[in-house]
Amino acid sequence: MEHAKVVVADDDPITRMDLRVTLEELGLMVLGEAEDGRQAVDLVRSLRPDLAILDVMMPQMDGLEAARIIRSEDLAPVMLLTGYAEEDMVSKADSAGVLAYVRKPFRKEDLMPAIAITLGRYRERHNLEQEIESLKEKMESRKVVGRAKAILMERYNLTEREAFHRIQNKSQMLQKPPHEIAKAIITASELGV
């Protein structure tokens, strides 16, 4: 976590300066500062920090909308630093993809655990999303292979096992994944070949 790169957004210059100094004392590098949500999103897009720390109430675009955009584009994990702690605000922060929430006035000893949790949750979520994507691809591949097996079974009066072995053998022979062979079988069938 040390040397993590951060973008900070708060419309109060004193808070930004205090936050920058505190973060640097903690060993983090502040790449940029923004005074509104729109600037924050632009900075995060261009600088690609490890973390964005946003205030909620800012001009142009509030911190929740900025967090929503940053989350939707998967640019960086977002932590809120704000004076608002109402249940409704916490709920809105959660739905915007915020991973941690620290109240103002912040204390140096409160920032490190919140930052560590934010970065850890982000890594966890990112890994889960990659795993889900991989599982989707595997399911799609299985569907394609299943469809190709059905075509081979019908066309050549094969058992399911025999059809699968034909796909496997062709896959090994051509050094291509089975789902690519299956796609070729489906395409050939659709073309009447």
Side-chain angles (χ1 to χ4, degrees):
M1 181 170 59
E2 201 170 291
H3 306 300
K5 298 181 229 64
V6 184
V7 164
V8 173
D10 196 303
D11 58 335
D12 177 24
I14 304 290
T15 301
R16 283 196 317 269
M17 184 185 69
D18 191 24
L19 186 55
R20 172 187 277 279
V21 168
T22 304
L23 291 169
E24 289 173 349
E25 286 173 0
L26 292 170
L28 287 86
M29 181 193 308
V30 178
L31 294 179
E33 299 177 24
E35 59 187 36
D36 65 57
R38 186 158 288 133
Q39 282 181 359
V41 171
D42 290 343
L43 278 176
V44 171
R45 280 180 180 141
S46 65
L47 299 176
R48 298 303 217 151
D50 300 314
L51 174 66
I53 301 176
L54 311 177
D55 183 24
V56 172
M57 296 302 190
M58 293 186 287
Q60 304 293 322
M61 177 190 295
D62 70 27
L64 293 175
E65 183 58 27
R68 210 173 274 104
I69 292 168
I70 291 167
R71 167 66 182 119
S72 72
E73 295 179 21
D74 195 26
L75 300 171
V78 176
M79 181 176 106
L80 282 187
L81 180 66
T82 184
Y84 300 92
E86 295 82 22
E87 199 172 307
D88 181 50
M89 184 62 73
V90 174
S91 175
K92 286 178 182 176
D94 184 46
S95 67
V98 171
L99 297 173
Y101 197 99
V102 175
R103 287 199 60 197
K104 289 180 188 176
F106 65 89
R107 297 179 317 158
K108 183 177 180 178
E109 54 272 9
D110 294 336
L111 283 179
M112 261 337 242
I115 291 169
I117 287 170
T118 303
L119 295 174
R121 284 183 178 164
Y122 182 75
R123 274 190 305 275
E124 231 173 65
R125 184 174 67 195
H126 192 69
N127 290 341
L128 284 172
E129 287 170 350
Q130 285 181 324
E131 211 173 295
I132 288 168
E133 194 56 40
S134 173
L135 289 172
K136 283 180 184 176
E137 287 172 11
K138 285 179 184 177
M139 285 175 55
E140 191 56 38
S141 291
R142 285 186 179 165
K143 284 181 189 177
V144 169
V145 169
R147 190 167 164 215
K149 283 191 306 186
I151 291 168
L152 291 176
M153 289 165 61
E154 183 179 321
R155 179 177 280 178
Y156 300 108
N157 198 23
L158 301 173
T159 66
E160 184 178 358
R161 177 176 278 188
E162 291 169 332
F164 183 67
H165 283 300
R166 280 200 184 181
I167 293 170
Q168 266 188 325
N169 290 339
K170 193 59 93 171
S171 167
Q172 290 171 350
M173 188 174 79
L174 297 175
Q175 297 182 350
K176 296 205 180 273
H179 72 274
E180 285 187 24
I181 302 301
K183 284 180 183 176
I185 291 168
I186 293 167
T187 301
S189 173
E190 288 171 350
L191 295 173
V193 178

